[in-house]
Amino acid sequence: MGGNLQRFTHLNNGQYSVRALQGPHKGLVLGYAPAIELTDANLIVREKTRLKAVEQGVRNVHAWSEGIFESCCDHPPASVTTKQLRVTYFPFIKSHFFLRSRPDQTITRIDHAWAYQADIWLSAPPAPQKPIGD
Protein backbone atom coordinates (compact mmCIF):
# COMPACT_ATOMS: atom_id res chain seq x y z
CA MET A 1 0.00 0.00 0.00
CA GLY A 2 2.43 2.68 -1.10
CA GLY A 3 1.23 6.27 -0.89
CA ASN A 4 2.06 9.74 0.32
CA LEU A 5 1.92 9.93 4.10
CA GLN A 6 2.77 12.03 7.07
CA ARG A 7 4.46 10.21 9.95
CA PHE A 8 4.66 11.55 13.47
CA THR A 9 4.89 10.20 17.00
CA HIS A 10 1.57 9.97 18.78
CA LEU A 11 2.15 11.78 22.08
CA ASN A 12 -0.18 9.51 24.08
CA ASN A 13 0.41 5.96 22.81
CA GLY A 14 4.10 6.27 21.82
CA GLN A 15 3.52 4.66 18.43
CA TYR A 16 3.89 6.30 15.05
CA SER A 17 0.78 7.78 13.49
CA VAL A 18 0.28 7.48 9.74
CA ARG A 19 -1.85 10.17 8.08
CA ALA A 20 -2.82 10.23 4.40
CA LEU A 21 -1.67 13.29 2.45
CA GLN A 22 -3.64 12.50 -0.69
CA GLY A 23 -6.49 10.39 -2.02
CA PRO A 24 -9.93 9.68 -0.58
CA HIS A 25 -8.61 9.52 3.00
CA LYS A 26 -6.56 12.73 2.79
CA GLY A 27 -6.01 14.25 6.24
CA LEU A 28 -7.15 11.16 8.14
CA VAL A 29 -4.99 9.08 10.46
CA LEU A 30 -4.99 5.62 8.88
CA GLY A 31 -3.40 3.81 11.81
CA TYR A 32 -0.59 3.44 14.29
CA ALA A 33 2.46 1.18 14.32
CA PRO A 34 5.66 0.67 16.35
CA ALA A 35 7.78 0.72 13.15
CA ILE A 36 7.08 2.28 9.76
CA GLU A 37 9.10 1.85 6.58
CA LEU A 38 9.19 4.93 4.37
CA THR A 39 10.95 6.13 1.23
CA ASP A 40 11.57 9.51 -0.41
CA ALA A 41 10.83 11.39 2.80
CA ASN A 42 11.33 14.98 3.87
CA LEU A 43 11.95 15.73 7.54
CA ILE A 44 9.98 18.80 8.57
CA VAL A 45 10.22 21.02 11.65
CA ARG A 46 7.83 23.92 12.25
CA GLU A 47 10.15 26.37 14.01
CA LYS A 48 7.50 28.66 15.50
CA THR A 49 5.74 25.71 17.16
CA ARG A 50 9.08 24.22 18.26
CA LEU A 51 9.98 27.48 20.00
CA LYS A 52 6.62 27.41 21.79
CA ALA A 53 7.35 23.87 23.03
CA VAL A 54 10.80 24.94 24.25
CA GLU A 55 9.44 28.06 25.94
CA GLN A 56 6.59 26.23 27.67
CA GLY A 57 8.46 22.98 28.29
CA VAL A 58 5.49 21.08 26.86
CA ARG A 59 5.59 18.52 24.05
CA ASN A 60 3.56 19.20 20.93
CA VAL A 61 3.54 17.92 17.36
CA HIS A 62 5.85 20.23 15.43
CA ALA A 63 8.20 17.81 13.62
CA TRP A 64 7.41 14.91 11.31
CA SER A 65 8.34 13.17 8.08
CA GLU A 66 6.41 13.15 4.83
CA GLY A 67 7.12 10.46 2.29
CA ILE A 68 5.98 7.23 0.70
CA PHE A 69 4.57 4.57 3.04
CA GLU A 70 6.02 1.15 2.24
CA SER A 71 5.08 -1.07 5.21
CA CYS A 72 4.71 -1.28 8.98
CA CYS A 73 5.47 -3.90 11.62
CA ASP A 74 6.67 -4.35 15.21
CA HIS A 75 10.35 -3.64 14.42
CA PRO A 76 12.59 -3.05 11.39
CA PRO A 77 14.78 -5.78 9.90
CA ALA A 78 18.06 -6.51 11.72
CA SER A 79 19.92 -5.51 8.54
CA VAL A 80 18.81 -1.93 9.28
CA THR A 81 19.16 -1.76 13.06
CA THR A 82 22.64 -3.32 13.16
CA LYS A 83 24.01 -0.47 11.00
CA GLN A 84 23.26 2.03 13.77
CA LEU A 85 22.62 4.81 11.22
CA ARG A 86 20.14 6.75 13.30
CA VAL A 87 18.59 10.15 12.71
CA THR A 88 16.99 11.80 15.71
CA TYR A 89 15.41 15.04 16.84
CA PHE A 90 15.74 16.81 20.20
CA PRO A 91 13.79 20.09 20.05
CA PHE A 92 15.34 21.42 23.27
CA ILE A 93 18.89 20.95 21.89
CA LYS A 94 18.72 21.46 18.10
CA SER A 95 16.16 22.91 15.73
CA HIS A 96 16.54 20.16 13.12
CA PHE A 97 16.87 16.40 12.63
CA PHE A 98 20.45 15.15 12.80
CA LEU A 99 22.55 12.02 12.56
CA ARG A 100 23.17 10.69 16.10
CA SER A 101 26.82 9.90 15.31
CA ARG A 102 27.30 13.38 13.83
CA PRO A 103 25.10 15.92 15.62
CA ASP A 104 26.57 18.66 13.44
CA GLN A 105 25.08 17.00 10.33
CA THR A 106 21.59 18.31 9.54
CA ILE A 107 19.30 15.76 7.89
CA THR A 108 16.31 17.06 5.92
CA ARG A 109 15.75 14.23 3.40
CA ILE A 110 16.00 10.45 3.48
CA ASP A 111 15.79 7.91 0.67
CA HIS A 112 14.82 4.81 2.67
CA ALA A 113 14.41 4.33 6.39
CA TRP A 114 12.41 2.92 9.27
CA ALA A 115 10.82 5.09 11.94
CA TYR A 116 11.35 3.04 15.08
CA GLN A 117 11.60 3.83 18.77
CA ALA A 118 12.77 7.45 19.12
CA ASP A 119 14.73 7.49 15.85
CA ILE A 120 14.68 7.11 12.10
CA TRP A 121 16.94 4.18 11.20
CA LEU A 122 18.59 4.63 7.80
CA SER A 123 19.27 1.77 5.40
CA ALA A 124 22.36 3.53 4.01
CA PRO A 125 24.47 6.57 4.93
CA PRO A 126 22.69 9.83 4.08
CA ALA A 127 23.62 11.80 1.00
CA PRO A 128 25.37 15.13 1.67
CA GLN A 129 22.80 17.77 2.52
CA LYS A 130 22.92 21.52 2.72
CA PRO A 131 22.56 23.02 6.20
CA ILE A 132 19.32 24.79 6.97
CA GLY A 133 19.28 28.31 5.57
CA ASP A 134 21.64 27.65 2.66
Side-chain angles (χ1 to χ4, degrees):
M1 175 195 147
N4 239 355
L5 69 86
Q6 182 180 62
R7 184 238 21 119
F8 55 93
T9 304
H10 191 279
L11 295 176
N12 295 320
N13 70 17
Q15 295 191 34
Y16 288 101
S17 299
V18 177
R19 184 165 70 182
L21 293 176
Q22 62 188 27
H25 303 292
K26 181 179 179 179
L28 297 177
V29 173
L30 303 176
Y32 307 95
I36 297 172
E37 180 184 20
L38 58 154
T39 57
D40 297 325
N42 292 310
L43 304 178
I44 299 164
V45 176
R46 295 287 180 233
E47 182 63 9
K48 185 175 178 181
T49 312
R50 183 192 80 83
L51 290 173
K52 184 177 178 180
V54 170
E55 178 184 302
Q56 296 177 352
V58 178
R59 297 184 314 166
N60 60 29
V61 177
H62 64 270
W64 58 85
S65 60
E66 291 182 357
I68 306 298
F69 174 86
E70 298 294 339
S71 66
C72 62
C73 58
D74 289 334
H75 51 80
S79 62
V80 173
T81 56
T82 56
K83 291 178 185 174
Q84 293 294 313
L85 292 170
R86 297 163 53 182
V87 172
T88 196
Y89 175 68
F90 293 118
F92 298 97
I93 298 171
K94 295 198 176 277
S95 62
H96 55 270
F97 288 85
F98 58 92
L99 199 58
R100 273 193 186 258
S101 61
R102 297 229 11 237
D104 59 313
Q105 186 174 354
T106 300
I107 305 294
T108 59
R109 177 131 182 91
I110 52 176
D111 294 327
H112 180 258
W114 285 82
Y116 178 62
Q117 298 173 335
D119 295 320
I120 298 171
W121 299 68
L122 304 179
S123 299
Q129 299 181 17
K130 291 182 180 182
I132 295 174
D134 282 4

